[in-house]
Amino acid sequence: MASGEVFDSETKSLGMPRVNLLTMFRLGLFQMGLSMMSILTLGVLNRVMIQEIAIPATLVSLVLALPLFVSPSRVWFGQISDAKPLWGYHRTAYVWVGAAILAIAAFLAVQVMWQLSTAASSVGGWAWTTQTIGWTALLSLVFAVYGLAICASGTAFAALLVDVSEEDNRPKVVGVVWSMLMVGIIVGAIISASLLKQLTPEATVETLKAAVNRLFIIVPAIVFGLAIAATFGVEKKYSLYSNRSTLVNREDSITLGAAWKILTASPQTGLFFTFLVVMTLCLFMQDPVLEPYAGQVFKMPLAESTKLNVYYGIGLLIAYAVAGFLIVPRLGKRKSARLGCMLVALCAALLGISGFTANAAFLKLGLVLFGLATGFLTTAAISLMLDLTAAEAAGTFIGAWGLAQAISRGVAVVVGGTILDVGRRVLPSLELAYGLVFALEAVGMVVSIWFLNRVNVTEFQTSTKQAIASVLESDLD
């Protein structure tokens, strides 16, 4: 019997209970918390830094993208949580420590941001001085730590989901938890809007500071509490691998080096990786500019612009429910993904056109439609991604797909802010400058279809199976 089969039989003999629906929803509280933090950083801080403090959008985008650019650390954190238990837990303790550092770093980031604002205002506006450079460097460091905390807690949590689920109920676990992430977007937007509702365009800097500081005390505390509530007792009760001490001598039949050979065996891997990069880049290019767009073009106050994520989140939730059960199974994964790309391109163009109407209702409708299109595309792309994952090297493949999405999302934030800065310099109106961002999103989505059309699942599976057979034969020699 192979070592992997020994491991499977031993873990099944532990008699662990299966995770129930209530626990799935409880686990989803962690993802809900992470999405609430995302709303705070991209939904509040980008608006404050770009509009209220007048920091260049390119610089703001670079700083806010740092948590995504440290995503390669996920591989290391995953290995650490596998090999080195903390306080007797392989997953839970890493989730808690990461969530605590995340909450502290979020609050510190706001305090450094105010110092950067003071340094900029002391010279009459934004300028590169010794003080602004110093505070910008410190803010970048804090956001890097913030990103590392997300990587540590998020990776351990994802591994916990694998540990507490089995092959037949894993899609249900992932589906429930992913839906809770979307709920977090809506809840985070509502909480942020309610805590900032007293702010008006005429509010003083001191009033702004007090409101934002209170927000970044209350919400990070809630997020840390959700991380505790989501995972408390779950690993010990449900994890198939909680008794790892009896299994420390287990060795995977396919090593990391061999898994890399399998990963690179098919050209289809590179094609799908490129498709994911381009698709994700275009999905999130509007992230750093949406709230400033609402404030500068539609004249929305800070609280109202933060609530825009509610409309986007509603569209996502509807699309996840409908696409996963009705549309993708009927159309097929690749056709659905192709249609999703076209729908996102149309909705991005609609968002750009809405600026010329200055009608907030038009913008909100556009965001609901953009959420619907995004949810439709995401469901199809994730389903296709699972088809392009070899079970024998699943960690390597999922890691590669996750890296493509994280890095391209970080690049999207930087590109979106940079395009806005360029547009404001060379175009005659704000509507055209912001419209340029949405137009390039639409064009990029069309480009992603070109790569998607060249993805061949059958060819991938054939090449990968041959590579796996070759690796296993070489191990036996």
Side-chain angles (χ1 to χ4, degrees):
M1 185 181 291
S3 59
E5 293 172 343
V6 172
F7 179 68
D8 290 340
S9 62
E10 288 191 51
T11 54
K12 290 175 182 176
S13 69
L14 295 176
M16 292 293 177
R18 286 169 64 91
V19 61
N20 55 40
L21 187 60
L22 179 61
T23 304
M24 293 180 199
F25 278 106
R26 186 154 72 87
L27 285 167
L29 293 175
F30 176 77
Q31 289 290 65
M32 178 177 166
L34 284 188
S35 59
M36 289 171 64
M37 288 303 303
S38 176
I39 291 300
L40 252 65
T41 53
L42 284 175
V44 176
L45 292 190
N46 72 323
R47 159 80 184 255
V48 172
M49 286 192 281
I50 291 174
Q51 184 168 337
E52 273 72 20
I53 302 179
I55 301 174
T58 302
L59 179 59
V60 173
S61 300
L62 280 168
V63 172
L64 293 179
L66 281 173
L68 296 166
F69 289 140
V70 299
S71 59
S73 65
R74 288 177 179 271
V75 177
W76 183 76
F77 283 123
Q79 291 175 333
I80 290 294
S81 70
D82 278 340
K84 298 183 183 298
L86 183 62
W87 304 325
Y89 293 95
H90 279 270
R91 313 298 186 196
T92 308
Y94 287 95
V95 171
W96 292 359
V97 171
I101 296 173
L102 171 69
I104 295 169
F107 177 75
L108 291 178
V110 175
Q111 306 316 306
V112 176
M113 180 187 73
W114 297 134
Q115 296 298 324
L116 180 57
S117 174
T118 301
S121 61
S122 66
V123 293
W126 179 261
W128 287 108
T129 65
T130 303
Q131 281 192 320
T132 57
I133 291 173
W135 287 116
T136 300
L138 182 57
L139 184 63
S140 301
L141 176 62
V142 173
F143 267 104
V145 173
Y146 173 88
L148 290 171
I150 292 177
C151 291
S153 58
T155 302
F157 178 77
L160 177 63
L161 291 184
V162 175
D163 290 352
V164 303
S165 63
E166 298 171 53
E167 186 175 353
D168 61 335
N169 73 334
R170 190 164 292 153
K172 185 183 295 184
V173 173
V174 173
V176 171
V177 171
W178 191 264
S179 296
M180 290 294 285
L181 186 146
M182 295 302 105
V183 172
I185 290 178
I186 298 172
V187 172
I190 293 173
I191 292 176
S192 299
S194 64
L195 291 176
L196 298 173
K197 63 183 179 181
Q198 77 275 21
L199 294 178
T200 64
E202 295 78 27
T204 65
V205 174
E206 291 305 317
T207 303
L208 177 66
K209 282 185 180 181
V212 174
N213 282 342
R214 182 177 60 169
L215 180 65
F216 274 82
I217 291 173
I218 294 174
V219 175
I222 292 174
V223 170
F224 178 68
L226 288 175
I228 301 293
T231 55
F232 185 81
V234 171
E235 182 174 356
K236 185 154 286 188
K237 183 176 181 179
Y238 295 104
S239 176
L240 297 174
Y241 311 119
S242 60
N243 291 341
R244 284 172 183 267
S245 59
T246 64
L247 304 168
V248 291
N249 294 322
R250 180 181 78 92
E251 293 183 355
D252 291 324
S253 58
I254 297 180
T255 64
L256 181 61
W260 178 254
K261 291 180 182 178
I262 296 169
L263 178 66
T264 56
S266 173
Q268 296 298 318
T269 304
L271 284 171
F272 189 70
F273 186 95
T274 307
F275 163 72
L276 280 181
V277 168
V278 178
M279 180 198 76
T280 306
L281 181 68
C282 298
L283 278 179
F284 296 102
M285 201 183 295
Q286 88 286 341
D287 265 10
V289 304
L290 182 60
E291 284 77 13
Y293 182 48
Q296 293 182 329
V297 176
F298 294 86
K299 310 303 179 186
M300 290 184 184
L302 180 57
E304 189 178 353
S305 68
T306 303
K307 281 167 55 177
L308 290 176
N309 289 286
V310 173
Y311 302 99
Y312 175 68
I314 289 172
L316 280 172
L317 278 175
I318 295 172
Y320 283 140
V322 174
F325 290 94
L326 298 177
I327 300 176
V328 175
R330 295 183 181 183
L331 281 184
K333 295 160 189 172
R334 195 164 70 162
K335 285 184 179 179
S336 297
R338 188 185 300 119
L339 178 59
C341 288
M342 291 188 286
L343 291 174
V344 170
L346 289 173
C347 291
L350 183 65
L351 288 175
I353 293 170
S354 69
F356 295 95
T357 69
N359 187 331
F362 194 177
L363 176 63
K364 293 171 184 177
L365 173 62
L367 283 172
V368 172
L369 295 175
F370 190 83
L372 284 168
T374 300
F376 183 86
L377 172 58
T378 302
T379 302
I382 290 176
S383 301
L384 185 61
M385 181 184 77
L386 295 179
D387 285 350
L388 289 159
T389 298
E392 294 85 349
T396 303
F397 278 96
I398 295 298
W401 308 146
L403 182 61
Q405 292 172 311
I407 293 297
S408 54
R409 186 167 182 177
V411 172
V413 173
V414 176
V415 170
T418 303
I419 292 172
L420 175 59
D421 273 348
V422 172
R424 288 194 292 200
R425 287 178 179 272
V426 302
L427 296 174
S429 69
L430 282 173
E431 291 83 0
L432 287 172
Y434 281 103
L436 180 62
V437 178
F438 296 114
L440 289 178
E441 273 191 321
V443 172
M445 269 299 164
V446 176
V447 172
S448 71
I449 296 174
W450 187 87
F451 291 102
L452 177 62
N453 287 338
R454 281 152 183 76
V455 174
N456 187 312
V457 176
T458 303
E459 180 183 330
F460 166 84
Q461 291 174 343
T462 301
S463 300
T464 305
K465 285 179 181 178
Q466 292 174 349
I468 292 171
S470 176
V471 167
L472 293 177
E473 287 174 5
S474 64
D475 286 345
L476 294 173
D477 292 341

